[in-house]
Amino acid sequence: MGRIPQHFIDELIARTDIVELIGARVPLKKSGREYKACCPFHAEKTPSFWVSPDKQFYHCFGCGKHGTALGFLMDHDHMAFPEAVEELATRLGLEVPQEGGAERITARADEPLYELMARVARFYSEQLAREPRARDYLAKRGLTDASLERFAIGYAPNSWSELLRRFGAGVAERKRLAEAGLIIERERGGGREGERYYDRFRDRVMFPIRDARGRVIAFGGRIIDAGEPKYLNSPETVLFHKGRELYGLYETRRARRSLERLVVVEGYMDTVSLHQSGIDYAVATLGTATTAEHFRRIFRLVPTVVFAFDGDRAGRAAAWRALQQALPEAREGREIRFLFLPQGHDPDTLIAAEGREAFEQRLAAAVPLSEYMVRELSEQSELASADGRARFAEHARPLFVRVPEGVYRELLLARLAQVVGLTPARLEALWTGGKMAAPSTPSPSPARRPATARPARAAGRGGLVRQAIIRLLHYPIIALEVTGSERAGLDASEEPGVPLLRELLDDLREQPAQIPAQVIQRWMGHKDGETLQKLLGREEVITGAAAAAQELRAALTKLADQAAGKRLQALEAKSRTGSLAAEELVEFQSLIERLSHRDARGG
Ligand SMILES: [Zn+2]
């Protein structure tokens, strides 16, 4: 397959109407200059998926998915890149040009690759019959012939060139083998053309990885005897994106008409063994942590997922990573559980030792996400002491805020509050006040505040209000980082826009929001709703929630200092012309103290 020239791709993007393309798949509603819908990539009730005809770009404020028309076809319709290009070209009545190749792309651009993969899988499976070492190994692991057949397990011969010889007769064929990730190009090409490549998989038991339609898209190979690496996967190719695929999903769906849950394990052998023992709803990630894309695929099929991890250190680390990935996906109606296997066992050996029923009992008793989180955090904190509970609350907060708003979030809050020994409202108030920092980890507040006391030096003037609002819009959750006194300092400011900033800040502190679209949604119909949308629509470079929170707090402090400075000037002027009333004198003194204090601190 030749390369598709970049200018053609540019042209496709420019000429395609992304609103029409996405609108044919997702019901879009016009909203101002853009279009919105409930996101097709994550479950939600209020729309946070936006399509911009101006930018020809879509963006979900909920799950962060974004991209162009091509990206949408790949993500949403699970097309490979050339397939998506062909689709757009067909819509526009264009022919896809090929760079430096006489071969032209067919209607299904990557069909020949799928065919090649199928033929190679058959070849590997034939080779298994001829290799007693591989068959013995699989028999020793307890796999039956039926399992070998169901998972189409094979064997890659112990040769650097067997696959090349059989499937790579010509230059074009060798290119396709390389594109499919089956052969590797030598860094320094050999003298003859035939020596440029070598077989990727040699002397390994081969597990074909199939997509939802059962087409082989990649392989995983396990070494038979000792050697490194123990497992070798196909690289990422046009057919295979490991962050999206789950090994065993096709076989699971074929085995079961109705699915209630999935078990996620770590290896091919575990998956096959579990299926063979009757846990025919086991899948595995492919040498990667569980991704958001995995979760979406899982929850499209089932309401419950159990992660089974080895009880060792590596297993626990993997489980903690999975928990962090799982938090944004947690909501009512979904169950995410964690099963830790006894030391020295993996699912394969455990089910062999205990049998299906015992294993299913373990699955049923697996720890729910919230309990696992509580357990891990408790281990890091001494819950018996007040300091320890404060540390627990502090560690829990960044995890908690990743959970989307809803019933599940409320339940989790209640559970965490119970551990700390507070009411949920009190815990939230403590988080909101930013006063939970344990003595060992001082909060970054006053000492790091920039020195900006005098109004004459304050940068930005009215721009400060705009900066603060924009940060709140992009990361509404940072409203919770603002302290009570920082918020109170705003009351004295008379800068234009401050009333809106105050209202927005108070609203977000009372009713936290996770994503900008939620804020926009709430303010729709409000007299300032349009202003907020415009501010959000601006292209601002904001470098993450932590920086935004610091900038917001700095802006609030500057505004308060400006107000104090102005008031001080007014009082000074008045004192020159007449005399100050008693309370004005007190105020005058406290303002001087405040500003000089700040100067001394800021250095
Ligand atoms: Zn989304």
Side-chain angles (χ1 to χ4, degrees):
M1 193 154 46
R3 284 175 60 90
I4 302 160
Q6 185 59 45
H7 69 81
F8 185 72
I9 295 167
D10 291 345
E11 194 190 356
L12 284 182
I13 296 290
R15 289 179 56 179
T16 297
D17 180 2
I18 196 169
V19 174
E20 193 188 308
L21 180 88
I22 296 182
R25 291 159 173 81
V26 181
L28 294 176
K29 264 196 185 158
K30 196 158 200 307
S31 171
R33 297 165 68 94
E34 308 197 320
Y35 291 79
K36 65 174 180 176
C38 281
C39 179
F41 299 110
H42 84 279
E44 64 175 0
K45 292 201 183 99
T46 48
S48 33
F49 180 81
W50 295 79
V51 182
S52 162
D54 294 343
K55 297 174 188 164
Q56 285 292 307
F57 202 71
Y58 67 92
H59 183 233
C60 173
F61 289 102
C63 62
K65 274 264 172 208
H66 61 261
T68 61
L70 275 174
F72 187 82
L73 285 177
M74 293 167 75
D75 277 343
H76 185 267
D77 291 13
H78 298 288
M79 287 186 182
F81 182 73
E83 222 180 344
V85 167
E86 184 69 24
E87 169 75 20
L88 291 188
T90 305
R91 291 169 58 100
L92 295 168
L94 300 173
E95 177 116 26
V96 181
Q98 297 289 306
E99 220 159 51
E103 317 140 79
R104 57 179 293 281
I105 208 161
T106 58
R108 294 296 309 272
D110 43 1
E111 201 59 44
L113 270 191
Y114 285 123
E115 266 169 37
L116 172 66
M117 295 299 273
R119 283 195 294 134
V120 169
R122 273 198 299 279
F123 164 70
Y124 284 150
S125 135
E126 284 159 19
Q127 294 300 305
L128 181 61
R130 297 189 189 161
E131 180 54 53
R133 268 171 60 254
R135 281 204 317 278
D136 287 352
Y137 167 79
L138 290 166
K140 240 191 288 167
R141 297 294 299 261
L143 297 194
T144 62
D145 285 349
S147 290
L148 299 185
E149 200 180 310
R150 190 189 310 165
F151 284 86
I153 294 168
Y155 169 74
N158 191 7
S159 155
W160 292 87
S161 59
E162 189 63 23
L163 201 71
L164 252 182
R165 199 173 60 75
R166 290 181 184 245
F167 294 90
V171 175
E173 282 80 6
R174 285 193 286 275
K175 262 192 183 158
R176 281 201 308 152
L177 281 174
E179 203 183 341
L182 293 166
I183 60 173
I184 298 173
E185 192 167 357
R186 290 183 201 279
E187 279 181 19
R188 294 171 56 93
R192 294 180 304 133
E193 162 64 25
E195 289 169 2
R196 259 181 72 192
Y197 297 98
Y198 59 93
D199 290 6
R200 177 182 298 272
F201 298 103
R202 303 173 303 278
D203 194 25
R204 284 173 184 267
V205 169
M206 299 299 288
F207 298 84
I209 298 159
R210 297 190 266 207
D211 68 7
R213 289 155 67 177
R215 298 176 297 189
V216 176
I217 52 174
F219 291 94
R222 194 205 188 282
I223 207 133
I224 295 176
D225 307 313
E228 289 296 327
K230 205 157 108 184
Y231 285 96
L232 183 68
N233 286 336
S234 291
E236 299 267 320
T237 66
V238 289
L239 303 182
F240 178 52
H241 307 283
K242 65 180 178 180
R244 180 190 296 169
E245 303 300 334
L246 290 162
Y247 178 68
L249 192 56
Y250 169 71
E251 289 79 3
T252 294
R253 298 185 71 176
R254 220 163 50 136
R256 293 222 152 199
R257 192 156 294 177
S258 71
L259 273 176
E260 278 144 32
R261 63 181 171 194
L262 288 175
V263 183
V264 180
V265 294
E266 289 180 283
Y268 304 105
M269 202 59 100
D270 292 330
T271 307
V272 179
S273 295
L274 287 178
H275 275 253
Q276 184 175 302
S277 305
I279 313 284
D280 53 5
Y281 46 88
V283 299
T285 56
L286 295 152
T288 134
T290 318
T291 63
E293 180 85 31
H294 286 141
F295 276 107
R296 280 195 285 281
R297 296 198 75 177
I298 289 169
F299 286 122
R300 243 181 259 151
L301 289 174
V302 292
T304 304
V305 59
V306 184
F307 289 93
F309 291 99
D310 300 356
D312 60 9
R313 255 181 92 102
R316 298 184 76 89
W320 190 245
R321 278 199 304 276
L323 170 128
Q324 287 171 310
Q325 291 291 337
L327 290 169
E329 310 297 326
R331 63 205 60 174
E332 56 275 23
R334 291 179 174 182
E335 238 182 286
I336 303 170
R337 289 172 173 269
F338 293 80
L339 170 62
F340 293 96
L341 305 174
Q343 281 282 354
H345 273 298
D346 53 37
D348 176 18
T349 61
L350 191 65
I351 197 146
E354 290 189 348
R356 171 189 168 178
E357 272 185 28
F359 195 86
E360 288 205 307
Q361 275 166 19
R362 284 182 188 274
L363 289 177
V367 189
L369 174 82
S370 57
E371 282 316 297
Y372 171 48
M373 181 170 154
V374 165
R375 206 173 74 183
E376 277 301 304
L377 292 178
S378 305
E379 273 174 27
Q380 298 167 20
S381 329
E382 291 263 338
L383 289 180
S385 73
D387 272 6
R389 288 195 296 276
R391 204 169 305 122
F392 176 95
E394 196 194 347
H395 289 164
R397 178 160 76 159
L399 297 169
F400 176 76
V401 298
R402 302 188 64 183
V403 177
E405 264 187 277
V407 176
Y408 184 87
R409 194 171 201 256
E410 296 303 311
L411 294 173
L412 182 60
L413 177 66
R415 179 69 184 105
L416 295 171
Q418 188 195 7
V419 176
V420 193
L422 296 171
T423 64
R426 186 85 186 105
L427 176 60
E428 242 188 345
L430 279 172
W431 275 343
T432 307
K435 296 223 168 74
M436 278 308 284
S440 57
T441 50
S443 82
S445 46
R448 278 197 224 158
R449 268 184 200 140
T452 54
R454 293 185 189 281
R457 294 211 318 256
R461 301 270 301 169
L464 284 173
V465 177
R466 202 179 53 83
Q467 285 170 31
I469 292 178
I470 287 176
R471 272 147 192 82
L472 275 171
L473 286 174
H474 279 259
Y475 298 99
I477 201 69
I478 64 176
L480 301 181
E481 309 265 330
V482 173
T483 66
S485 67
E486 280 166 346
R487 163 63 191 85
L490 211 50
D491 284 333
S493 176
E494 287 168 4
E495 287 293 313
V498 163
L500 173 58
L501 171 59
R502 270 203 300 259
E503 200 182 337
L504 179 65
L505 186 55
D506 290 351
D507 171 64
L508 290 174
R509 281 155 67 84
E510 226 165 78
Q511 211 187 333
Q514 303 303 307
I515 53 173
Q518 288 172 331
V519 185
I520 295 303
Q521 185 71 31
R522 282 181 204 172
W523 285 69
M524 258 172 203
H526 186 287
K527 68 179 164 58
D528 292 314
E530 197 59 38
T531 310
L532 294 186
Q533 274 204 54
K534 273 188 199 142
L535 286 172
L536 180 63
R538 292 174 61 94
E539 301 215 347
E540 291 275 338
V541 182
I542 297 177
T543 54
Q550 248 181 14
E551 288 157 5
L552 169 68
R553 296 176 63 187
L556 294 181
T557 304
K558 280 183 199 170
L559 283 167
D561 287 348
Q562 278 181 8
K566 270 193 180 160
R567 180 73 184 142
L568 188 65
Q569 280 177 342
L571 290 174
E572 264 174 341
K574 189 173 178 190
S575 74
R576 278 197 297 271
T577 56
S579 66
L580 293 177
E583 41 307 347
E584 283 174 331
L585 205 56
V586 173
E587 195 191 349
F588 187 73
Q589 277 163 350
S590 84
L591 284 171
I592 288 188
E593 200 184 330
R594 173 197 163 100
L595 291 174
S596 59
H597 196 60
R598 176 113 329 133
D599 273 351
R601 233 183 215 157

